[in-house]
Amino acid sequence: MYITCLDLEGVLVPEIWIAFAEASGIPELKRTTRDEPDYDKLMNWRLGILKEHGLGLKEIQATIEKIDPLPGAKEFLDELRSITQVVIISDTFSEFAKPLMKKLGWPTIFCNSLEVAENGEITGYKMRCEKSKYTTVKALQSCGFETIASGDSFNDLGMIENSKAGFLFRSTEQIKKDYPQYPAYETFDELLAAIKGAMA
């Protein structure tokens, strides 16, 4: 019994924080988990920048509404879901993910949640569990699933390393160089073929 675990941003949809950095004109917000392995450090830094500029959830959600899935992502997901169970495991937040899930046809997503003040300021965040991607694939395995995982960033390595098969997808040159043991793909067709091959 297989279940495929996919990252969201950079794999199925563009990076939310990069889109918001461009929309808000704050280039520092382009920093993502591809650049910073420590997620807490990254998020606290982001929240500091938002506070400094007086920006909150409403402004970010307005940007997210305009984001479309990456070309071919929905078709890839539809085909993958026709042959195996799929769960998206993301370090994003449910307050960000909903419009994107609608555009992807409502796949299952496990993500985190934000703490938001009445004035819309994002004051903090609540992680679903520690090392969420690693912890989730281990939990799925304990339920009798074989996991296959794919992602593009440092925070995806835990689920990739601990799955029956793991693939890098549209990752950075540095991550590909540091982790040559994981096949790296650039197109959805290649990734779909690799997942099918792992299940054969």
Side-chain angles (χ1 to χ4, degrees):
M1 195 71 176
Y2 285 97
I3 191 161
T4 298
C5 304
L6 298 173
D7 177 36
L8 176 64
E9 294 178 66
V11 173
L12 298 170
V13 303
E15 293 279 353
I16 290 168
W17 287 97
I18 290 177
F20 185 63
E22 287 166 358
S24 63
I26 306 169
E28 305 95 284
L29 286 173
K30 286 188 176 177
R31 193 167 176 77
T32 71
T33 49
R34 289 167 155 232
D35 313 298
E36 174 54 70
D38 186 329
Y39 192 72
D40 284 326
K41 186 176 166 187
L42 179 64
M43 269 311 295
N44 286 316
W45 182 76
R46 285 168 169 166
L47 295 185
I49 292 173
L50 292 178
K51 191 174 175 65
E52 190 186 311
H53 290 270
L55 296 168
L57 181 59
K58 185 172 89 249
E59 289 81 8
I60 299 175
Q61 285 177 329
T63 296
I64 293 168
E65 287 289 346
K66 298 177 191 146
I67 294 175
D68 286 320
L70 292 167
K74 184 176 185 303
E75 294 76 7
F76 160 76
L77 203 51
D78 288 347
E79 188 169 345
L80 187 58
R81 288 164 76 194
S82 76
I83 57 171
T84 183
Q85 297 292 313
V86 179
V87 62
I88 296 169
I89 308 175
S90 173
D91 278 340
T92 193
F93 306 96
S94 49
E95 295 84 354
F96 289 1
K98 197 172 177 185
L100 299 168
M101 294 305 100
K102 185 178 180 183
K103 290 177 183 178
L104 286 168
W106 299 111
T108 299
I109 183 169
F110 294 167
C111 59
N112 305 306
S113 57
L114 292 169
E115 293 164 358
V116 185
E118 279 187 20
N119 66 358
E121 181 192 339
I122 301 170
T123 55
Y125 57 96
K126 193 169 188 312
M127 300 299 277
R128 191 171 45 80
C129 58
E130 203 178 328
K131 294 183 181 170
S132 66
K133 299 189 181 196
Y134 165 81
T135 305
T136 304
V137 296
K138 285 301 193 187
L140 290 167
Q141 289 160 8
S142 76
C143 300
F145 288 103
E146 289 267 28
T147 60
I148 296 168
S150 184
D152 68 326
S153 298
F154 284 109
N155 64 338
D156 298 312
L157 294 170
M159 69 176 182
I160 289 171
E161 286 167 355
N162 290 280
S163 289
K164 181 184 182 225
F167 310 109
L168 293 169
F169 186 68
R170 296 184 180 172
S171 191
T172 64
E173 289 309 315
Q174 191 58 54
I175 292 174
K176 287 190 276 192
K177 190 172 146 220
D178 290 347
Y179 297 89
Q181 66 270 44
Y182 303 119
Y185 300 111
E186 296 298 319
T187 71
F188 287 118
D189 287 347
E190 289 173 328
L191 183 58
L192 188 65
I195 293 168
K196 285 178 175 174
M199 291 167 54

